[in-house]
Amino acid sequence: MIDNHIAALLAYAGRLDSRVRRALADPQQSARTIADWSAALADVPAALPDTGWDASHAVRRYYEQRDGDRSAQFRAVEPHDVLAAWAPHRGELMNRHTDPLPKADPDDPQAWREELLGVRSAVAHGHRPPVQYRAEIDAGGQQRLAALMSGVGNGPRRYMPADVAAQLAEFRPMRAAREAAVAAGQPDAYSYTCEWCGAAVDEPCRTGYRLHDKGRGHRATPHPSRIDTARHAAEQSEDEHNRLSRLMSTPPTPRTTRARHTAGGRR
């Protein structure tokens, strides 16, 4: 805030507190007070309509004596009261801020860092509103994004174009087999641990029985027991789904009305 902002803020505080009004009656004392407040609140904005911040609201909250605070009865408002109200609001702004991509050359780390820190400093001092990428995605977009991200790196879901997946099938035989099984409506056996060879989830089954897995190769197809485990789990999941569907579709049984007896009445 600059001197004009501080003068308006102190004038507003004077309407709420006669002690401030008497201190501002002396021109020299008023000039010193405005200079001190300007130095203390130089990094605090006067108002940010987009984020709901207003320094006059902080002054008013101080005199409202919220949460049992009786400081206003013993002293007039001071710059640190405004700073105490601005600090949590600034923290909220920084939590909502998402760093935009700097326009500086990525090969120049110094310029890249200075631009990144400059934007953060501008948000922290209220010179610009926070950049919120999350707010630009509606509910439908968030659901589509979650569906795409859920298949990245693991699981049988495809997260690349079909033609690219077909070209890479010969280099990813296990992945291609999983996608083919899921497309045919069969359970994904690689989503479960193999009880025969001990292969972990998303790992191919192993051949042989050598100690410490030395010299053991990988099977192109999962062991039959692993397929049975996946099929059994799918059947249990389907049975549970059907049970819940029947339970949700069954109307509730009407309650039997019973006569109520009161003390002293006839039975």
Side-chain angles (χ1 to χ4, degrees):
M1 285 187 284
I2 59 178
D3 291 349
N4 293 339
H5 297 155
I6 296 298
L9 186 63
L10 289 175
Y12 175 74
R15 290 194 291 270
L16 301 177
D17 190 348
S18 59
R19 294 168 295 186
V20 178
R21 187 164 58 251
R22 289 194 297 268
L24 296 178
D26 183 6
Q28 295 182 354
Q29 179 65 26
S30 176
R32 287 195 299 269
T33 302
I34 292 176
D36 293 340
W37 277 61
S38 298
L41 303 179
D43 295 333
V44 179
L48 295 176
D50 296 336
T51 63
W53 165 257
D54 195 322
S56 62
H57 295 169
V59 173
R60 182 179 180 87
R61 281 194 297 270
Y62 171 75
Y63 284 105
E64 288 177 352
Q65 302 182 7
R66 296 186 178 184
D67 300 329
D69 184 8
R70 303 298 179 184
S71 301
Q73 295 181 355
F74 307 104
R75 62 173 179 83
V77 64
E78 296 180 3
H80 64 81
D81 298 314
V82 180
L83 289 173
W86 165 248
H89 188 86
R90 179 184 58 192
E92 182 183 358
L93 293 180
M94 296 307 298
N95 289 335
R96 292 159 49 190
H97 175 68
T98 306
D99 290 324
L101 183 65
K103 298 180 180 179
D105 186 2
D107 294 332
D108 188 354
Q110 184 66 24
W112 180 282
R113 183 175 183 274
E114 289 179 357
E115 183 177 351
L116 197 64
L117 295 180
V119 174
R120 293 181 182 179
S121 178
V123 174
H125 292 88
H127 299 316
R128 59 175 297 175
V131 180
Q132 303 180 70
Y133 289 153
R134 299 181 184 90
E136 298 177 2
I137 303 178
D138 56 5
Q142 292 180 359
Q143 293 178 358
R144 292 190 299 270
L145 182 61
L148 291 174
M149 294 300 296
S150 62
V152 175
N154 50 52
R157 301 180 181 178
R158 178 179 298 167
Y159 51 94
M160 63 177 62
D163 55 341
V164 176
Q167 296 175 10
L168 296 177
E170 60 177 319
F171 304 101
R172 308 182 311 156
M174 189 185 75
R175 182 73 179 190
R178 298 181 71 176
E179 293 180 351
V182 173
Q186 301 175 1
D188 181 21
Y190 292 103
S191 298
Y192 303 89
T193 303
C194 182
E195 299 178 357
W196 181 265
C197 65
V201 176
D202 293 336
E203 291 184 359
C205 290
R206 292 167 291 186
T207 61
Y209 301 93
R210 295 187 180 182
L211 187 63
H212 304 303
D213 295 339
K214 292 183 177 180
R216 300 182 66 178
H218 297 292
R219 288 173 52 95
T221 58
H223 281 110
S225 60
R226 195 174 191 179
I227 298 176
D228 293 340
T229 300
R231 185 179 296 109
H232 181 66
E235 291 175 354
Q236 286 185 339
S237 178
E238 185 178 0
D239 292 342
E240 179 66 13
H241 176 74
N242 294 335
R243 187 187 69 83
L244 292 177
S245 300
R246 289 194 302 269
L247 182 63
M248 296 299 293
S249 60
T250 302
T253 305
R255 299 180 58 183
T256 304
T257 304
R258 296 184 297 178
R260 299 181 59 187
H261 301 282
T262 58
R266 296 179 61 185
R267 297 187 179 179

